Every structure is written in structure tokens, then in C-alpha cells.
Amino acid sequence: MTGAVQVVRAGALTTVQDSGRTGWAHLGVPRSGALDVPAARLANRLAGNGPDAALLETTVTGCAVRPDRPVLVVVGGAPCRVTVDGRPVAWGAPVRVPAGAVLDAGPAVRGLRGYLAFGGGLVPEPVLGSRSADLLSGLGPAPLRTGDVLPLGEAPASPPAADAVPWPGVPAELVLPLRLGPRHAWFTAGALRTLTTATYRISPDSNRIGLRTEGPALTCARTGELPSEGMVLGAVQVPPDGHPVVFLNDHPTTGGYPVIGVVAEPALAAAAQAVAGTRLRFTAATVRTRRAARSGP
């Protein structure tokens, strides 16, 4: 049984996301996809979906939707108050929402980004193999507005089995293991020490493109400009003001500022939930931490 959900309250920034569109960086298209991958996959699993099903990613203020058919919904990620037609229901667990009822995922109590997974997933038209909204290139569905309608996929034949799992926590302090390179030689020895010993704070100017920081500036040892080169997820780029920027899912695929190091992808999930003002430290990644990051949680 298919159907649709109507957006009753769009919130500050709500987008459709899945696992992203990989393999298109050579055409200038970033990956996009859910920022908090573990939370998005867990929400999908509890809703009876595969890990790559499209769902909603909210930012700070949540959103509200009205399905036109009965649907199983899981609200996860950043903890928030969840109601159906004004009645409190469970956060982080499957909730059956009747046709025509309004499910409201309220403002985040902790963290930054919430996820709404619907049984059967959301099925807007894919672009380059993904249904994800990309804020940088504009590919995929536009950020949601009140009144938008999104199609639902076929509901799972049988409800998901009972499941009890811990949700990822929201960091009080963000610690990102950093592997230096490829342009760390562009910086002074003092800048390299500062990078792994100082405490930064996350700037309010952060978004899905990058995590901007406030704190001590890093000093370049060279003058002149670096030719544009490829950028990867987790690259830590240093613009002229000296404040590191950690590239997230909607990052540009090329850039001309030096990249002092790279944060392994699994370590970035916590960055999705770190609000403005959160303390941030970079640590030197060892062989052990790199292996742990590759293997994931």
C-alpha cells in the first residue's frame, strides 16, 4: 500500500536524505546523504526499512507531517518530544500513525538533527541514484516547505520484530581524530601543535557543508595560492582567517585552501549532533584509532 505524507510544519531546515550519491565527485557532485549515519540507519531499521531508505533529516526545530494512510514512524537522532494529534508518543521507537493524524517531532532537547523514518521509506524521484537533498549543488528534493507532499513507498509486508537498542549519545565535547596531510607542510610547527592541543568551539555558521570553528588561528608557513584540488569528506581546510573548517556531506568537491588533515568518516557522525558552542578538540589519529574509525561502532 503506497501513499504520501504532507508537511504541516517544515521547521528550520528539513530535508530528504538517504545514504547519499557516491561516485559523482569527478562531475562536481558531493555525496550528500544523512549526516548522522548511525542514527539514520537505526531509525530505518526500527521502521522495518533497509539501511538506505530515504527519510527526513530535521535541524533544531523538528517538523510535523500528516500521512494519508496508516504508517509506522520512528523519530530518532536528536531527542525531542513527539506527539500524534497532540498526544505524547515514544521517541526512538516505532509509532503507528493513523491516516490523517499529525505527527509532530518537536525541537531538539539535546543535539541538533533528528530523523523521521517511515515504514516503506520516502520515494521522491531519485537524481543520480539518490533521493538526498544537496544544499550545495541543489540536486534532489528542495528543503521542505509547509504544504509539500512526499510520496511513501510500499509498506513492509510484516512489521519489524521487537527491538531494543541504544541510541547514539549527543556529545558534550566533540573529539575528532585527525590524520595530518596532504598540506600540513604549509603550516608552521606552532600551528600544528596548536591544532592538536587547543580547544575550539563550533561556530553558529556551521551547516551541512562544513563545521566552522572558533578559536586560535593557524599560521601558514607559505605565501601564495594553492591550485584547486580535490576535496574529500572529513577534510579540514584552513581558509585565510586561519580557523579550521571540517567538510561534511554537502562539501564542495574542489577547493583552493590548504587541507591540514582529514577526519575519518565514522568519527563525523557525532559532528552532526554538535550544537553551536560545543567544545571541539582535534587529536592526532594513531594506527589504532584509524582502524577503529574504519571498522565503525
Side-chain angles (χ1 to χ4, degrees), residues 5-9 56 63-67 101-104 116 118:
V5 292
Q6 181 181 28
V7 180
V8 176
R9 180 176 65 84
L56 295 182
C63 73
V65 296
R66 178 189 290 115
V102 173
L103 178 137
D104 192 303
L116 279 69
F118 304 85

Side-chain angles (χ1 to χ4, degrees), residues 98-248:
V102 173
L103 178 137
D104 192 303
V109 176
R110 297 187 307 279
L112 193 61
R113 292 181 172 89
Y115 293 91
L116 279 69
F118 304 85
L122 298 171
V123 290
E125 192 68 26
V127 179
L128 297 180
S130 170
R131 296 182 167 93
S132 288
D134 180 351
L135 300 187
L136 186 66
S137 71
L139 293 177
L144 298 188
R145 297 177 299 178
T146 298
D148 284 350
V149 176
L150 296 167
L152 285 169
E154 189 75 26
S158 57
D163 208 343
V165 289
W167 282 88
V170 173
E173 179 183 60
L174 187 61
V175 179
L176 298 179
L178 182 76
R179 185 174 185 179
L180 290 178
R183 301 300 176 190
H184 58 291
W186 278 59
F187 297 87
T188 65
L192 296 178
R193 285 194 300 272
T194 296
L195 181 64
T196 55
T197 57
T199 297
Y200 290 86
R201 291 192 182 275
I202 295 175
S203 165
D205 294 330
S206 301
N207 54 27
R208 283 184 49 88
I209 296 171
L211 199 69
R212 295 185 178 274
T213 64
E214 298 172 341
L218 304 179
T219 305
C220 265
R222 301 189 185 187
T223 59
E225 295 184 359
L226 180 71
S228 289
E229 55 188 357
M231 292 291 134
V232 299
L233 180 63
V236 180
Q237 192 182 65
V238 183
D241 67 6
H243 295 113
V245 177
V246 184
F247 277 160
L248 301 179

Side-chain angles (χ1 to χ4, degrees), residues 271-289:
Q273 300 296 355
V275 301
T278 298
R279 287 160 48 98
L280 164 64
R281 292 188 296 112
F282 295 100
T283 61
T286 63
V287 172
R288 177 177 297 178
T289 59

